[in-house]
């Protein structure tokens, strides 16, 4: 018998004569304490994210490309990784061309194998969209796909994320239900709640352990 | 003795190691400070008692429900993962699991592996297994990296290097990596970041553990703060996840309360920086992510625990570490004293199933049974009750069938005979009276050395006259004075 058969038959023998327990999931427990008035959601998100070293800006939707440029300028960064196949990527590229911006835009348009070294060591910042955010825990939902690959939010020292104010949900449960996650997930769904950190030495918090050292969230008010 | 004791040089028994650990002031201080702070963080993370208790109840319910249909869920998980393009493997023993992992690496002619934090891979001693076959397996979690660099094992399941302070890490980096000594924690972390980033880039295979495997969607969920888990599961062309068979839950929504319980109990965080949900390898048109994803499902004694309805509860564990943070024994002796992969209260109840009670005979008794572990456990595992059960299994006669492998390891015919005598004395009045007469008259002959008892106490000497005698004499004297009895 294979290991699989052995394990399964041992487990089945252990359950002989028993019936599976019914599902009594009490959704109130995971939703009710985590509900916010619409006007409080942004504040809750902001305060939780700021508490873990995230920079949060709320701005009118049209102004974000200029804000991105300003963020790069202030930090004197030379380049920005972006996703050319997304709506916001195109918007950014248009702004960049018009503004004649100094910083280089790097399009993530090739498989990682072709430019691994460069992505690892020479990219200063990246910008991605989000699939919303969760107020209860201060988390962004990232839904990487072919246009916006997984490593964009991981490799560069600065990650800038765009978040629509209207896409902030109260809690993880509501988010899952609303976006119907159980019907189909991407190959790698991520919740991101701040820049990379560790407290492995004497429990002293240090940021930028392996992933981004800085996370900036631009909350876009859809007026 | 203020020197660190490498785990390999410790006395081989729990008792011996505990004595040494207790004498190490630095170690005790490192643990005391860390555990106090972890306890406080957990308390702050659950300000509302009612919410906390409701959630623990739900956590227990979800795990118990999953276990009540475990074989079906494992099959469902396998089917879903396969549909998503993930290869699923099964292993009964750690040897088998290592062989599977090694075969995957070999098929890619790989020589370098980066590993995210995974207790199951510790269980497998995967690093050593692969090293023997000329494959470098590097720990990428900062804490794990530090202990690996020092040739040690983790001393805590969440904070592997908790037994070290910054001075010790600074000296370690200085001597092993040739960097300048610094006690600035940020600087130390940046040294680790630079060193490991190079390894992520070069690795052929990334290995990770799994926090929850979701049968409904075929998803492997991993929590972490550092991003090393994401690196290990995204950058190398192959990702191998290893997990115990008990980690499967039925539905995606089940992880909502479990996630909240796990991160709040472990580090007092509302959530970790990254919650990584992997449902498949890179699709044909995607630009990054591993081309292959494998899952190894490991039994290693778990099905043995599963067979007994009471002991099955050990499989509820979500590895948050709260029980050890709150354990008066663990906080004083530290994780290395246990000499096993899982230390503290959780280790004492799961290790016997993995290695046999005879390998860890002292574990079930290394507890004050104060109940703190059971009280903080987010999935309500009755740890003290299970410890008592294991104590019973420990002293079972070899003639009775062993429920836990290696059971009966502490059986002693002397102890058994003594208890039989004690029972006989206490159930036969005449015998009891004779015994009492002899004990009071011959009390002086009590030996001075009564085993472990006299290590810390003086030997008890029976009083010259028994309470019965004294009471009788008192009553008689009263009657002689004409008092009513
Ligand atoms: S036994 Fe309970 S408290 Fe201990 S690690 Fe497991 S889940 Fe956490």
């Amino acid at each position: 018998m294979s290991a699989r058969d052995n394990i399964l038959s041992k487990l089945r023998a252990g359950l002989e004569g028993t019936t599976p327990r019914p599902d009594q999931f009490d959704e109130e427990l995971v939703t009710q304490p985590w509900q916010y008035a619409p006007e409080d959601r942004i504040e809750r998100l902001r305060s939780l994210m700021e508490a873990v070293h995230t920079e949060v800006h709320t701005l009118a939707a049209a102004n974000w490309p200029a804000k991105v440029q300003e963020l790069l300028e202030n930090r004197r960064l030379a380049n920005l990784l972006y996703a050319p196949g997304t709506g916001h990527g195109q918007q950014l590229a248009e702004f960049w061309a018009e503004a004649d911006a100094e910083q280089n835009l790097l399009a993530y348009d090739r498989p990682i194998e072709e430019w691994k070294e460069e992505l690892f060591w020479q990219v200063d910042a990246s910008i991605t969209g989000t699939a919303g955010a969760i107020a209860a825990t201060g988390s962004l939902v990232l839904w990487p796909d072919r246009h916006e690959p997984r490593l964009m939010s991981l490799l560069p020292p600065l990650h800038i994320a765009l978040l629509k104010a209207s896409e902030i949900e109260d809690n993880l449960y509501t988010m899952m239900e609303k976006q119907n996650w159980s019907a189909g997930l991407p190959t790698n769904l991520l919740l991101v709640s701040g820049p990379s950190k560790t407290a492995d030495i004497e429990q002293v918090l240090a940021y930028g352990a392996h992933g981004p050292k800085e996370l900036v969230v631009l909350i876009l008010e859809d007026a | 003795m203020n020197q660190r004791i490498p785990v390999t040089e410790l006395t081989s028994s729990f008792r011996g190691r505990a004595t040494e650990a207790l004498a190490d002031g630095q170690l005790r201080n490192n643990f005391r400070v860390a555990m106090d702070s972890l306890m406080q963080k957990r308390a702050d993370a659950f300000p509302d008692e009612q919410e906390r208790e409701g959630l623990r109840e739900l956590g227990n319910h979800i795990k118990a429900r999953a276990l009540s249909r475990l074989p079906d869920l494992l099959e469902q998980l396998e089917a879903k993962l396969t549909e998503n393009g993930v290869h699923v493997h099964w292993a009964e023993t750690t040897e088998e699991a290592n062989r599977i992992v090694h075969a995957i690496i070999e098929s890619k002619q790989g020589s370098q592996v980066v590993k995210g934090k995974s207790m199951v891979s510790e269980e497998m001693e995967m690093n050593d297994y692969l090293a023997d076959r000329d494959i470098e397996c590097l720990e990428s979690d900062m804490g794990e990296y530090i202990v690996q660099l020092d040739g040690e094992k983790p001393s805590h399941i969440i904070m592997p290097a908790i037994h070290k302070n910054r001075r010790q890490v600074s000296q370690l980096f200085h001597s092993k990596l040739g960097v300048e000594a610094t006690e600035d924690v940020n600087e130390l972390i940046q040294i680790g970041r630079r060193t490991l980033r190079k390894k992520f880039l070069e690795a052929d295979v990334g290995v990770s553990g799994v926090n929850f495997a979701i049968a409904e969607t075929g998803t492997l969920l991993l929590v972490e703060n550092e991003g090393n888990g994401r690196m290990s599961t995204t950058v190398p062309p192959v990702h191998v996840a290893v997990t115990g068979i008990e980690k499967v839950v039925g539905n995606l929504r089940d992880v909502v309360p479990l996630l909240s319980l796990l991160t709040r109990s472990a580090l007092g965080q509302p959530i970790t920086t990254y919650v990584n949900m992997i449902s498949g390898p890179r699709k044909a048109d995607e630009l990054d992510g591993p081309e292959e994803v494998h899952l190894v499902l490991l039994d290693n004694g778990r099905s043995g625990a599963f067979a007994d309805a009471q002991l099955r509860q050990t499989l509820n564990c979500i590895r948050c570490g709260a029980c050890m943070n709150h354990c008066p024994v663990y906080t004083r002796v530290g994780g290395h004293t246990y000499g096993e992969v899982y230390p503290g209260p959780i280790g004492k109840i799961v290790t016997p199933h993995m290695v046999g009670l005879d390998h860890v005979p002292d574990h079930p008794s290394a507890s004050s049974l104060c109940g703190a572990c059971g009280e903080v456990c987010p999935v309500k595992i009755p740890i003290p009750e299970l410890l008592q059960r294991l104590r019973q299994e420990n002293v079972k006669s070899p003639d009775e069938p062993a429920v836990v492998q290696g059971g009966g390891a502490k059986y002693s015919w002397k102890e058994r005979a003594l208890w039989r005598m004690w029972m006989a004395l206490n159930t036969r009045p005449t015998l009891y009276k004779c015994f009492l007469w002899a004990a009071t008259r011959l009390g002086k002959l009590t030996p001075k050395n009564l085993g472990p008892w006299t290590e810390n106490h003086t030997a008890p000497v029976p009083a010259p006259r028994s309470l019965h005698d004294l009471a009788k004499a008192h009553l008689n004297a009263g009657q002689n004075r004409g008092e009513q009895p």
Side-chain angles (χ1 to χ4, degrees), chain A:
Chain A
M1 275 219 296
S2 66
R4 177 184 189 277
D5 295 342
N6 277 340
I7 294 172
L8 288 174
S9 69
K10 273 195 247 172
L11 296 179
R12 291 221 153 86
L15 287 177
E16 222 161 277
T18 64
T19 41
R21 296 212 183 185
D23 187 355
Q24 291 161 332
F25 192 92
D26 182 354
E27 62 176 67
E28 273 217 344
L29 276 166
V30 288
T31 52
Q32 214 248 332
W34 314 104
Q35 277 165 357
Y36 312 92
E39 64 277 14
D40 295 338
R41 263 181 226 146
I42 294 185
E43 263 331 290
R44 164 98 191 174
L45 183 81
R46 174 199 287 276
S47 70
L48 279 172
M49 294 206 84
E50 282 177 350
V52 288
H53 218 70
T54 307
E55 196 176 310
V56 181
H57 302 276
T58 312
L59 61 166
N63 297 341
W64 71 262
K67 184 72 189 176
V68 171
Q69 198 196 5
E70 184 193 316
L71 290 168
L72 298 179
E73 247 164 33
N74 288 347
R75 290 170 172 77
R76 300 185 193 289
L77 300 178
N79 59 41
L80 176 71
L81 183 68
Y82 83 113
T86 58
H88 54 264
Q90 279 148 20
Q91 221 180 318
L92 185 81
E94 277 162 30
F95 175 89
W96 234 248
E98 261 173 46
D100 207 9
E102 270 175 40
Q103 299 84 4
N104 272 339
L105 277 192
L106 304 170
Y108 199 150
D109 54 4
R110 288 162 282 166
I112 170 145
E113 289 74 18
E114 290 175 23
W115 59 324
K116 219 174 182 180
E117 288 271 352
E118 187 182 344
L119 268 181
F120 257 72
W121 306 109
Q122 280 148 39
V123 179
D124 296 331
S126 68
I127 179 156
T128 73
T130 60
I134 296 159
T137 51
S139 316
L140 304 173
V141 179
L142 298 189
W143 196 285
D145 61 11
R146 54 184 290 261
H147 297 299
E148 206 158 69
R150 313 176 188 200
L151 289 172
M152 290 189 77
S153 58
L154 183 63
L155 289 181
L158 166 66
H159 172 210
I160 305 169
L162 299 175
L163 168 66
K164 290 192 186 131
S166 59
E167 291 181 350
I168 305 176
E169 296 296 336
D170 283 341
N171 52 65
L172 177 56
Y173 186 84
T174 319
M175 177 62 91
M176 278 181 180
E177 293 289 300
K178 209 159 204 177
Q179 298 188 343
N180 199 12
W181 287 9
S182 54
L185 287 167
T187 49
N188 187 196
L189 177 83
L190 295 152
L191 305 182
V192 174
S193 315
S196 148
K197 66 170 186 276
T198 182
D200 270 350
I201 303 177
E202 276 189 27
Q203 287 200 295
V204 176
L205 207 50
Y207 288 92
H210 297 288
K213 297 176 188 177
E214 276 188 279
L215 173 64
V216 178
V217 180
L218 303 183
I219 303 180
L220 312 182
E221 310 228 271
D222 345 35

Side-chain angles (χ1 to χ4, degrees), chain B residues 34-346:
Chain B
M35 297 304 122
D36 282 351
S37 134
L38 287 169
M39 281 193 261
Q40 190 55 46
K41 283 185 191 156
R42 175 193 175 269
D44 294 345
F46 289 105
D48 180 347
E49 189 187 327
Q50 216 182 335
E51 190 256 348
R52 181 189 69 214
E53 290 312 304
L55 207 58
R56 287 177 71 218
E57 198 57 58
L58 180 59
N60 175 278
H61 166 74
I62 288 169
K63 287 296 292 183
R65 173 164 53 87
L67 292 178
S68 79
R69 40 194 292 259
L70 184 58
D72 291 350
L73 282 186
L74 285 167
E75 280 179 334
Q76 189 190 351
L77 176 74
E78 181 185 41
K80 258 289 161 190
L81 281 170
T82 312
E83 196 184 304
N84 295 351
V86 176
H87 305 271
V88 180
H89 312 259
W90 302 68
E92 283 184 274
T93 61
T94 54
E95 165 71 27
E96 218 172 323
N98 275 324
R99 242 184 289 131
I100 293 168
V101 175
H102 181 232
I104 298 169
I105 301 169
E106 260 206 327
S107 74
K108 300 286 149 191
Q109 277 118 37
S111 62
Q112 293 195 53
V113 174
V114 276
K115 186 144 76 67
K117 205 172 142 12
S118 148
M119 292 312 292
V120 168
S121 71
E122 295 286 341
E123 228 177 288
M124 292 160 61
E125 297 186 332
M126 186 194 286
N127 294 355
D128 296 340
Y129 186 95
L130 294 179
D132 288 346
R133 284 149 189 86
D134 288 329
I135 294 167
E136 180 193 53
C137 189
L138 197 81
E139 297 290 347
S140 63
D141 171 273
M142 284 298 174
E144 292 264 0
Y145 176 63
I146 292 167
V147 291
Q148 187 186 33
L149 206 57
D150 209 5
E152 286 188 321
K153 301 266 185 222
S155 62
H156 188 282
I157 63 171
I158 303 287
M159 315 215 92
I162 199 79
H163 55 290
K164 287 192 187 305
N165 59 26
R166 67 180 85 187
R167 191 174 40 80
Q168 293 165 323
V169 177
S170 160
Q171 283 164 1
L172 177 69
F173 279 8
H174 174 65
S175 71
K176 293 282 165 92
L177 303 176
V179 294
E180 215 153 286
T182 168
E183 288 187 21
D184 179 337
V185 171
N186 263 309
E187 190 55 38
L188 289 169
I189 294 298
Q190 288 312 308
I191 295 168
R193 175 185 173 108
R194 282 193 297 275
T195 317
L196 286 164
R197 195 162 255 239
K198 207 166 149 275
K199 299 290 181 179
F200 288 124
L201 180 74
E202 293 165 355
D204 307 298
V205 173
V207 172
S208 78
V210 174
N211 290 93
F212 303 108
I214 303 149
E216 177 185 27
T217 51
T219 300
L220 309 175
L221 186 146
L222 275 98
V223 297
E224 54 140 353
N225 281 316
E226 295 186 1
N228 68 308
R230 287 189 64 196
M231 287 282 203
S232 308
T233 59
T234 317
V235 180
V238 180
H239 165 211
V240 182
V242 290
T243 188
I245 48 173
E246 81 283 15
K247 288 289 179 75
V248 59
V249 295
N251 304 318
L252 191 59
R253 55 147 207 220
D254 289 342
V255 301
V256 177
L258 292 177
L259 196 57
S260 177
L261 284 166
L262 172 61
T263 60
R264 288 201 274 169
S265 307
L267 296 167
Q269 292 179 215
I271 196 162
T272 47
T273 302
Y274 301 114
V275 176
N276 187 355
M277 298 167 74
I278 299 166
S279 302
R282 173 201 308 209
K283 286 188 188 149
D285 60 354
E286 287 179 344
L287 302 176
D288 63 19
E291 282 146 15
E292 270 179 42
V293 178
H294 297 258
L295 174 70
V296 182
L297 289 164
L298 175 67
D299 181 341
N300 193 27
R302 289 165 172 84
S303 57
F306 188 82
D308 183 286
Q310 189 187 26
L311 298 173
R312 184 178 302 161
Q313 296 176 95
T314 56
L315 302 180
N316 279 354
C317 177
I318 57 172
R319 307 280 191 261
C320 71
C323 54
M324 56 190 74
N325 302 345
H326 291 77
C327 173
V329 176
Y330 178 91
T331 52
R332 281 163 183 81
V333 299
H336 286 160
T337 300
Y338 297 80
E340 293 296 328
V341 175
Y342 300 97
I346 163 67

Side-chain angles (χ1 to χ4, degrees), chain B residues 418-436 468:
Chain B
L418 272 171
W419 281 114
R420 287 246 162 83
M421 261 162 58
W422 187 249
M423 188 168 81
L425 279 176
N426 283 282
T427 47
R428 293 187 204 146
T430 337
L431 213 57
Y432 185 77
K433 268 188 206 142
C434 295
F435 167 72
L436 212 58
H468 273 253

